[in-house]
Every structure is written in C-alpha cells, then in structure tokens.
Amino acid sequence: MSPQAAVAAGCSLSSGFNVSRVRGDFPALDQLVHGRPLVYLDNAATTQKPRVVLDALFNFYTRDCANVHRGVHELSRRATEAYEGARRTVARFLNAAPHEIVFTRGATEAINLAAQAFARSILREGDEILLTELEHHSNIVPWQLLAEQTGARLVVAPINDRGELLMEELERRLSPRTRLIAVAHVSNALGTINPVAEICRMARARGIRVLVDGAQAAPHVRIDVRALDCDFYAFSGHKLYGPTGIGVLYGKAELLERMPPYQGGGDMIRSVSFEKTLFNDPPYRFEAGTPHIAGAIGLAAAIEYLTGLGLDEIARHEYELLSAATRALSEIPGVRLVGTASHKAAVLSFVLDGIHPHDVATVLDHEGVAVRAGHHCAQPLMERLGLPATTRASFALYNTLEEVEVLARAVRRARELFG
Ligand code: PMP
C-alpha cells in the first residue's frame, strides 16, 4: 500500500494498524465537545471502552446475572464460569497461574492488599521499604501507613532531570534492612518506563521482595510476571479499556499461600464457627464478599480485545503518536516537555512558559481536546521537578496523528490567548 493509500485507509504508516476501524469500536469517541470533535487525550486517567466490553457487561446483566461460587442453579453456574474464565484470561495476559490472580477494586486496593496482608508480616522496626521519586500517591501512601504501623522507614531512590531512575543510586540505597521495593513500571506523570526487570534482579540477589505498580504499564507494555520475577504486580481495569471498580493483584503462589486475609467476610472462608474460622485458599481468601463479577468479565473482554488487535501493533502505533506529539510540541515556542526519558510510554507532560497548566487545559477543552492538568497524584515528583503542575496528554490505541495536530494547534492557541 502506498503511504497515501495507507493514510486514506486510516492505517498508521509504519505499523499497518487500522486506527479508523479501531475507533469505530469505541462509541464514546464519536461525539462533539463544545461543538468540536472530541479528541480524548486523558487516557492515563482512564480509557474509553470498546463495544465488546459494554456488550460483555450488558450480556452479564441481561442473561447471566447471579452470584458466584454459591448457587447450584444455572445462572449461578454461568456467572461463576464467566468470572473464573476472566481470572484465566488475566492470568494468561500476565503469564501467571489463575490462582495467583486476586481481583480487587483497582491498582490502589491491590497495593494496599499487598502492604497489609504481606508486607506487614515481614516488617520489623527499622526495616526499610524502597520507593522512587516518581511514584503515584497510590504507591506511596499505603507504604507510609504501613511504616507508621510497623516502625519501618521509607527510603526514596532519585531520578535525573529527564525523569529516569538513577540505577546506581537506587542500588546504593539497598541496605541489609531493605525488605521491599515498590516501584512503578511506567510513570503516570512522565511516561518513563522503568527498568523493572533489572530492579527485580537486584532485589532477588539480596532476598528483597518487589511489588510493581503496573497501572500505567498494562495498557502499553507487554507484561510477563514470570520473566520479570516480581513478587507482586498491580493494575487497574479502567486504564486498560475495561470497567471501573475492577483491578488485579498478581502475587506469587508461594507468597499468597502464606498471607493472612486482608478483609473478612463471605467467600473467603472454608468454615466459620464462633470459636474459629478456617480461611479459604488463595485467591479466594483475598476476595471477601460478592466480587465485582461484571467488572471482571468486562476486564477479560477488554484484554481479549487488546490481544486480538496485537499488543506489539498497539505499541508501535502509540510510539508513532508519542514521537509525532513530541516533535509537534517541541516546535512550539515556550513549550517545555517534562519527562524526556529515553524509554517512554505514550504520556506527554509539558508546561507553557508563563501560563498555568490548568489554563492550558481549559483552552484545550474548548477546542474539544481532553487532557489533564495538575500534580497527577505525584506531588513528591512535582516537588522534585520544581513544578506545581503540568499539562499531560496521554495517548491510547484509538488516537490518531490528526489528533496530535489538533493538540498542537490548540496549544498554540493557548499561547496566543495567554502569551
Ligand atoms: N499507580 C499509577 C502509576 C497510576 O497512574 C494510578 C492511577 N492514576 C494508580 C496507581 C491508581 O490506580 P487506581 O486509581 O485505578 O486504583
């Protein structure tokens, strides 16, 4: 296909990825905002949902709606099969075993679960938890709470001005008291892809456990928890084209087996008497109460959709978007890109000289362009960078090169209005 024909057919030039066809799968993209076609670039906050996910939710609630693991009737059997099928889909996606997959409300709950049910039991006063300067609050505050409960200490590994982890500094901060490293796979504010495999190797050599916060990685990066050899991996369904309110904690089977429950209730028990309760096996031990059945089914539909499109094709397309957006914004006088790591996912933070990021985002909104402005739940990172906030455009598989141009035009407009 000639380049012109490829563009006409909606294909991205280098990958052959048919973005026009893909966009047709996402009903929410087809709307006007303030009279302009919606350009949705707030994907790091949450993604739009393809019709297959909406259909999976609709079909569950209209045909198979019943509680899981309990009923002997047909609908309960179907609901249980779909819910456990979703667990198998997630396990394949991460290269894990189904009993290593715990469904949670999201990455936040997954991290809190690992902190309270795992790390709490291994930490003693004076022990250390290593974090990095670019963590999301969800991967800081649970460890801070835990440090207060146990007398452990947080140690923070620094980044350079490009937003890359300084690996030698990280290694230097590993001490005989380090028990756990909690690190983002991909930074939500900067897009940096961290060398988590190398971090896991360093940790393994010293008997340190690793939790990887994969909330921003799952939509962009192929994940293999066996190859990484991490102990825990957390992510959210809603950033991966799935429903809100569902997420995943992967934990190594041998660790989950040793962990006490996180919450008490139905489904997490084997037997209950007033004298003693025997707990269920993992992963059920960590899923007290009725789970988000529809959410898990919707998440599985999203994963099947993604893998059907091809994770490598998606990555290539997003790389093209990121490169084009980086070029386009760099050419605008007064724009400074924030986060220029050599290894990045499709997140572009920037500031415009003399214009508050919220004002930039407001002008962009009037042009139909949805971006985020603020500290991105990463206040320590903003402090490190000496910025109160940035404007962040984050891309997804359904974004186009034309949308990158609309973004650049809208940023120029903000500059004209405020400059
Ligand atoms: N970690 C990172 C890196 C994130 O970007 C987010 C969401 N912004 C979270 C954790 C928390 O995810 P959730 O709010 O879906 O639990």
Side-chain angles (χ1 to χ4, degrees), residues 8 65 88 97 224 231 235 286:
C65 182
R88 290 193 293 276
D224 182 333
D231 297 289
F235 72 91
F286 307 106

PDB file of all heavy atoms in Angstrom, residues 8 65 88 97 224 231 235 286:
ATOM      1  N   ALA A   8      -5.306   7.169   3.646  1.00  0.00           N
ATOM      2  CA  ALA A   8      -6.723   7.182   3.272  1.00  0.00           C
ATOM      3  C   ALA A   8      -7.463   6.040   3.949  1.00  0.00           C
ATOM      4  O   ALA A   8      -8.624   6.177   4.343  1.00  0.00           O
ATOM      5  CB  ALA A   8      -6.853   7.085   1.752  1.00  0.00           C
ATOM      6  N   CYS A  65     -26.968 -12.896  35.159  1.00  0.00           N
ATOM      7  CA  CYS A  65     -26.747 -12.218  36.436  1.00  0.00           C
ATOM      8  C   CYS A  65     -27.122 -13.117  37.623  1.00  0.00           C
ATOM      9  O   CYS A  65     -28.288 -13.449  37.827  1.00  0.00           O
ATOM     10  CB  CYS A  65     -27.550 -10.928  36.487  1.00  0.00           C
ATOM     11  SG  CYS A  65     -27.255 -10.043  38.022  1.00  0.00           S
ATOM     12  N   ARG A  88      -8.761 -16.622  34.380  1.00  0.00           N
ATOM     13  CA  ARG A  88      -7.817 -17.342  33.498  1.00  0.00           C
ATOM     14  C   ARG A  88      -7.290 -16.399  32.399  1.00  0.00           C
ATOM     15  O   ARG A  88      -6.120 -16.457  32.039  1.00  0.00           O
ATOM     16  CB  ARG A  88      -8.504 -18.565  32.874  1.00  0.00           C
ATOM     17  CG  ARG A  88      -8.792 -19.688  33.887  1.00  0.00           C
ATOM     18  CD  ARG A  88      -9.185 -20.994  33.194  1.00  0.00           C
ATOM     19  NE  ARG A  88     -10.467 -20.932  32.507  1.00  0.00           N
ATOM     20  CZ  ARG A  88     -11.663 -21.119  33.086  1.00  0.00           C
ATOM     21  NH1 ARG A  88     -11.738 -21.417  34.376  1.00  0.00           N
ATOM     22  NH2 ARG A  88     -12.771 -21.049  32.380  1.00  0.00           N
ATOM     23  N   ALA A  97      -0.403 -17.968  36.874  1.00  0.00           N
ATOM     24  CA  ALA A  97      -1.402 -19.033  37.033  1.00  0.00           C
ATOM     25  C   ALA A  97      -2.685 -18.410  37.589  1.00  0.00           C
ATOM     26  O   ALA A  97      -2.612 -17.425  38.335  1.00  0.00           O
ATOM     27  CB  ALA A  97      -0.865 -20.089  37.996  1.00  0.00           C
ATOM     28  N   ASP A 224       5.106  -9.797  31.576  1.00  0.00           N
ATOM     29  CA  ASP A 224       5.353 -11.215  31.825  1.00  0.00           C
ATOM     30  C   ASP A 224       5.918 -11.309  33.248  1.00  0.00           C
ATOM     31  O   ASP A 224       7.102 -11.071  33.468  1.00  0.00           O
ATOM     32  CB  ASP A 224       6.351 -11.748  30.786  1.00  0.00           C
ATOM     33  CG  ASP A 224       6.607 -13.238  30.952  1.00  0.00           C
ATOM     34  OD1 ASP A 224       6.465 -13.753  32.079  1.00  0.00           O
ATOM     35  OD2 ASP A 224       6.971 -13.881  29.946  1.00  0.00           O
ATOM     36  N   ASP A 231       7.424 -10.145  42.756  1.00  0.00           N
ATOM     37  CA  ASP A 231       6.612 -10.881  43.734  1.00  0.00           C
ATOM     38  C   ASP A 231       5.139 -10.505  43.616  1.00  0.00           C
ATOM     39  O   ASP A 231       4.267 -11.346  43.796  1.00  0.00           O
ATOM     40  CB  ASP A 231       7.137 -10.591  45.142  1.00  0.00           C
ATOM     41  CG  ASP A 231       8.553 -11.094  45.296  1.00  0.00           C
ATOM     42  OD1 ASP A 231       8.720 -12.326  45.345  1.00  0.00           O
ATOM     43  OD2 ASP A 231       9.493 -10.276  45.295  1.00  0.00           O
ATOM     44  N   PHE A 235      -2.526  -3.782  38.834  1.00  0.00           N
ATOM     45  CA  PHE A 235      -3.022  -2.858  37.798  1.00  0.00           C
ATOM     46  C   PHE A 235      -4.528  -2.697  37.903  1.00  0.00           C
ATOM     47  O   PHE A 235      -5.201  -3.428  38.645  1.00  0.00           O
ATOM     48  CB  PHE A 235      -2.582  -3.299  36.390  1.00  0.00           C
ATOM     49  CG  PHE A 235      -3.270  -4.519  35.834  1.00  0.00           C
ATOM     50  CD1 PHE A 235      -4.425  -4.392  35.078  1.00  0.00           C
ATOM     51  CD2 PHE A 235      -2.738  -5.781  36.042  1.00  0.00           C
ATOM     52  CE1 PHE A 235      -5.053  -5.507  34.541  1.00  0.00           C
ATOM     53  CE2 PHE A 235      -3.361  -6.912  35.513  1.00  0.00           C
ATOM     54  CZ  PHE A 235      -4.529  -6.771  34.761  1.00  0.00           C
ATOM     55  N   PHE A 286      -8.617 -13.729  49.541  1.00  0.00           N
ATOM     56  CA  PHE A 286      -8.450 -12.270  49.474  1.00  0.00           C
ATOM     57  C   PHE A 286      -9.611 -11.582  48.761  1.00  0.00           C
ATOM     58  O   PHE A 286      -9.513 -10.414  48.401  1.00  0.00           O
ATOM     59  CB  PHE A 286      -7.117 -11.946  48.779  1.00  0.00           C
ATOM     60  CG  PHE A 286      -5.965 -12.665  49.414  1.00  0.00           C
ATOM     61  CD1 PHE A 286      -5.369 -13.750  48.791  1.00  0.00           C
ATOM     62  CD2 PHE A 286      -5.526 -12.292  50.675  1.00  0.00           C
ATOM     63  CE1 PHE A 286      -4.330 -14.433  49.397  1.00  0.00           C
ATOM     64  CE2 PHE A 286      -4.485 -12.966  51.288  1.00  0.00           C
ATOM     65  CZ  PHE A 286      -3.888 -14.047  50.646  1.00  0.00           C
TER      66      PHE A 286
END
